[in-house]
């Protein structure tokens, strides 16, 4: 897709459709000159109350007296209620609508976005055209790798009418591609997206600033990461411990750990078969980490960053680990496996231990589809966040306001330690139904040492059963924009 910003007037632009974002109640204000040229059609459709500018409302006009043949009026809602997210959602609706009509080139008027005093988001002044395009592009995503395309309809050219430099195009394209990459990895079925395939994707990202290492089973065993190894014992797919190091600054790195179970059957503690096909998305955390590293390298952010993806497949083969087994960890704590379906935390515990041992990180963030209880608690609307890194969590909250990848903090009370006490080992991997969202977090805490650490549970948000305004159903790509915005925040405050 070709995206550009051009200093052309609305009435001059030659395009398949001109998009006019409009506020509710005061819709025509920004476009009276244009409306005059098309014989007052905008005013008429507004006076008739057919178009009011209500949030996400769309009205298509066919016109003949200017260079474009179509104008799409796009409702932004009330100006007093404007937000980055509302603009993204309007953009998402509008772009998909035009794509489905078969229109291949569109132009976006930024008249409504030239605020005298731009409303502020948490980190920067609100750049309406940027968010409109972000939502628009994110919403066009489709996953058609393994099927005949539904239709060949595609938007190929997007022109923003404005001054060059008005929108950071590089940032826009990098962010959107990263979200697309994460969605692709997650949507790809587990027979194709094996641990080995995932490690190949990671290697394909290696370059001048990104080094990729993949530890094989022998190396992993030598490190004493038995908890992680135990998860893959029942599968014929060999495990791959993927390490991606980005060097863009000085000093100790931040480390991101992403849960990368390419398929989670539950193992011997087998899951019910209904809906099990979705468990290919159990590597959504790893996909987000990989995509973030790719984007950070693309943007050349001034910091050091390491991504760790402990990839494995959790199957109930004859050699699988069994409930009651005890395994060691790199951190020298033993774990009793109560449920082989609580496998994610076993892989993450060893990854956190590895990160601390080899990188002495400034901060550690893990992101994981860790518990069914997360989606019971928060549905598909928020990431559950917990941790010891208070400053990191404050920064993540800010990034979450900016990106609308919302986080909600959960407690890690000391009392939860009791829930995962074992009679035969230092810890057990499952603490029963009560509090299972937070006891999973508490388990990880035991492996985070003194390093400021945050856990993000994305089990509820990584997969959409229904379309959202700019998230077609399937993998959402959650975490990518959140963590990118968080890292940008770190860099701009000199904490990279
Ligand atoms: N991958 C699952 C969590 C999950 C469930 C993610 C549904 C997305 C949708 C995880 O490995 C798991 O099975 N967790 C168990 C833990 C329990 C056995 C302590 C759970 O939450 O049921
Ligand atoms: Mn599981
Ligand atoms: Zn899992």
């Amino acid at each position: 897709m070709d995206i550009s910003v051009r200093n052309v007037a609305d009435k001059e632009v030659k395009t398949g459709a001109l998009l006019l974002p409009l506020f509710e109640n005061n819709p025509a204000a920004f476009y009276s000159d244009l409306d005059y040229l098309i014989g007052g059609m905008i005013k008429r459709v507004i006076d008739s109350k057919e178009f009011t500018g209500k949030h996400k409302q769309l009205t298509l006009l066919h016109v003949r007296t200017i260079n474009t043949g179509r104008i799409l009026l796009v409702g932004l809602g009330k100006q007093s209620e404007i937000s980055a997210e509302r603009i993204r959602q309007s953009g998402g609706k509008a772009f998909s609508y035009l794509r489905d009509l078969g229109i291949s080139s569109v132009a976006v008027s930024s008249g409504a976005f030239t605020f005298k005093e731009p409303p502020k988001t948490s980190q920067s002044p609100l750049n309406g055209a940027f968010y409109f395009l972000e939502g628009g592009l994110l919403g066009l995503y489709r996953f058609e790798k393994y099927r005949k395309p539904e239709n060949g309809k595609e938007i190929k050219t997007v022109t923003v009418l404005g001054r060059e430099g008005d929108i950071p195009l590089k940032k826009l394209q990098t962010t959107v591609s990263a979200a697309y990459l994460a969605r692709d990895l997650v949507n790809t079925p587990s027979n194709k997206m094996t641990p080995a395939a995932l490690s190949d994707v990671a290697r394909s990202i290696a370059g001048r600033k990104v080094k990729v290492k993949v530890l094989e089973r022998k190396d992993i065993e030598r490190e004493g990461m038995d908890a992680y190894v135990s998860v893959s014992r029942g599968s014929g797919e060999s495990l791959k411990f993927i390490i991606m190091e980005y060097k863009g600054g000085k000093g100790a790195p931040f480390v991101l750990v992403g849960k990368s179970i390419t398929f989670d059957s539950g193992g011997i503690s087998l899951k019910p078969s209904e809906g099990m096909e979705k468990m290919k998305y159990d590597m959504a955390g790893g996909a987000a980490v990989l995509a973030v590293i790719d984007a950070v390298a693309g943007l050349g952010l001034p910091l050091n960053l390491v991504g760790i993806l402990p990839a494995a497949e959790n199957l109930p083969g004859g050699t699988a680990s069994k409930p009651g087994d005890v395994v060691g960890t790199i951190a020298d704590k033993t774990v009793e496996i109560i449920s082989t379906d609580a496998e994610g935390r076993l892989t993450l515990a060893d990854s956190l231990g590895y990160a601390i041992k080899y990188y002495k990180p400034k901060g550690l963030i893990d992101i994981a589809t860790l518990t069914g209880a997360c989606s019971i608690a928060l549905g598909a609307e928020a990431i559950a966040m917990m941790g010891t890194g208070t400053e990191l969590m404050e920064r993540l909250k800010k990034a979450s306001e900016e990106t609308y990848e919302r986080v909600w903090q959960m407690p890690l009370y000391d009392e939860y330690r009791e829930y995962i006490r074992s009679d035969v080992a230092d810890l057990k991997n499952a603490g029963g139904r009560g509090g299972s969202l937070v006891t999973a977090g508490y388990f990880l805490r035991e492996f985070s040492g003194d390093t400021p650490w945050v856990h993000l549970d994305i089990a509820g948000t990584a997969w959409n059963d229904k379309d959202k305004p700019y998230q077609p159903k399937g993998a959402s790509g959650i975490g990518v924009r959140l963590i990118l915005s968080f890292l940008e925040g770190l860099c701009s405050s000199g904490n990279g």
Side-chain angles (χ1 to χ4, degrees):
M1 183 189 288
D2 176 53
I3 306 170
S4 60
V5 184
R6 284 172 52 205
N7 201 350
V8 183
D10 294 348
K11 60 181 180 198
E12 309 284 356
V13 67
K14 288 200 184 92
T15 179
L18 171 65
L19 289 97
L20 293 190
L22 294 166
F23 289 111
E24 192 169 344
N25 294 338
N26 181 23
F30 302 104
Y31 301 109
S32 50
D33 293 351
L34 179 74
D35 200 25
Y36 177 77
L37 294 175
I38 56 170
M41 284 180 79
I42 300 179
K43 185 163 186 312
R44 244 180 301 142
V45 79
I46 287 166
D47 287 347
S48 74
K49 303 249 169 11
E50 276 164 51
F51 180 84
T52 58
K54 210 163 75 73
H55 186 217
K56 293 185 283 186
Q57 188 184 11
L58 303 175
T59 296
L60 185 68
L61 306 174
H62 280 251
V63 297
R64 339 180 242 127
T65 44
I66 54 173
N67 277 342
T68 179
R70 293 185 200 83
I71 289 181
L72 182 68
L73 307 180
V74 186
L76 294 173
K78 295 198 177 71
Q79 185 161 1
S80 58
E81 289 169 11
I82 198 66
S83 68
E85 178 61 10
R86 289 196 134 210
I87 300 174
R88 268 186 217 108
Q89 295 189 358
S90 298
K93 280 268 169 185
F95 272 53
S96 320
Y97 173 77
L98 291 174
R99 190 260 318 269
D100 294 342
L101 282 181
I103 292 168
S104 65
S105 92
V106 302
V108 178
S109 165
S110 45
F113 298 131
T114 25
F115 304 105
K116 280 207 194 73
E117 281 169 49
K120 284 231 161 38
T121 63
S122 59
Q123 291 186 355
S124 44
L126 188 132
N127 186 330
F130 179 88
Y131 296 121
F132 195 82
L133 255 70
E134 185 177 47
L137 300 179
L138 286 170
L140 291 177
Y141 176 83
R142 283 188 293 210
F143 183 69
E144 294 185 321
K145 205 151 62 173
Y146 301 106
R147 59 171 295 183
K148 315 269 174 304
E150 197 150 31
N151 58 53
K153 295 172 182 171
E154 214 183 306
I155 293 183
K156 297 206 174 91
T157 315
V158 178
T159 311
V160 185
L161 308 180
R163 277 169 320 201
E164 214 178 313
D166 277 357
I167 34 178
L169 278 186
K170 169 102 176 169
K171 178 179 161 182
L172 176 74
Q173 276 169 310
T174 309
T175 310
V176 171
S177 314
Y180 271 45
L181 172 60
R183 289 174 179 177
D184 276 347
L185 295 175
V186 175
N187 282 325
T188 302
S190 72
N191 61 329
K192 314 280 181 193
M193 193 44 61
T194 58
L198 191 58
S199 69
D200 289 341
V201 178
R203 281 201 186 94
S204 75
I205 280 165
R208 207 163 51 83
K209 286 185 171 172
V210 180
K211 299 232 166 352
V212 174
K213 279 192 283 191
V214 179
L215 303 192
E216 305 291 337
R217 184 186 182 119
K218 272 209 193 97
D219 318 316
I220 299 165
E221 280 172 347
R222 199 173 317 119
E223 291 292 346
M225 300 198 275
D226 292 340
Y228 168 42
V229 174
S230 76
V231 171
S232 78
R233 282 195 198 286
S235 163
E237 296 292 341
S238 43
L239 69 183
K240 306 278 172 187
F241 192 77
I242 306 165
I243 306 165
M244 308 178 75
E245 298 175 349
Y246 167 78
K247 208 160 169 38
K250 291 191 180 70
F254 278 85
V255 177
L256 307 174
V257 176
K259 176 173 172 183
S260 302
I261 299 297
T262 56
F263 188 77
D264 181 13
S265 70
I268 296 297
S269 316
L270 195 62
K271 286 184 181 296
S273 56
E274 187 167 336
M276 205 203 269
E277 70 282 358
K278 283 204 298 191
M279 275 302 120
K280 65 176 183 181
Y281 89 80
D282 217 14
M283 36 63 76
V289 169
L290 190 154
V292 163
I293 301 271
D294 191 27
V296 165
L299 295 169
L301 292 189
L303 84 169
N304 290 335
L305 185 66
V306 176
I308 297 181
L309 286 72
E313 186 181 63
N314 186 20
L315 289 190
T319 52
S321 42
K322 303 164 294 290
D325 287 0
V326 173
V327 292
T329 57
I330 190 172
D332 212 22
K333 290 185 180 181
T334 55
V335 179
E336 180 187 9
I337 299 176
I338 297 297
S339 170
T340 63
D341 197 11
E343 82 298 339
R345 64 198 75 181
L346 298 174
T347 69
L348 297 178
D350 271 332
S351 303
L352 296 176
Y354 184 93
I356 292 169
K357 180 169 172 194
Y358 286 103
Y359 295 102
K360 305 204 169 27
K362 270 198 233 171
L364 257 173
I365 299 178
D366 76 74
I367 174 163
T369 46
L370 206 61
T371 66
C374 177
S375 61
I376 303 285
L378 299 169
E381 308 313 322
I383 298 169
M385 174 171 81
M386 54 213 96
T388 55
T390 8
E391 198 206 317
L392 297 182
M393 287 194 282
E394 285 314 310
R395 287 179 176 280
L396 280 160
K397 284 178 194 166
K398 280 215 173 126
S400 123
E401 282 166 32
E402 171 91 16
T403 57
Y404 213 66
E405 296 198 332
R406 289 171 293 183
V407 297
W408 192 259
Q409 192 176 342
M410 294 290 177
L412 284 181
Y413 301 133
D414 289 336
E415 283 78 359
Y416 293 127
R417 178 69 182 80
E418 251 328 276
Y419 291 47
I420 49 172
R421 210 181 67 79
S422 161
D423 292 332
V424 296
D426 296 325
L427 293 161
K428 61 183 179 187
N429 78 333
R433 284 167 63 82
S436 66
L437 167 60
V438 287
T439 54
Y442 205 99
F443 182 89
L444 298 179
R445 177 191 185 156
E446 291 285 315
F447 295 89
S448 65
D450 301 326
T451 308
W453 154 81
V454 184
H455 164 55
L456 300 171
D457 194 333
I458 55 169
T461 44
W463 188 269
N464 290 315
D465 289 320
K466 287 192 263 202
D467 288 344
K468 288 186 172 180
Y470 56 89
Q471 291 180 10
K473 66 179 172 204
S476 65
I478 192 93
V480 173
R481 292 189 300 113
L482 173 74
I483 295 178
L484 262 182
S485 162
F486 161 83
L487 293 172
E488 280 173 337
L490 276 181
C491 291
S492 59
S493 65
N495 280 293

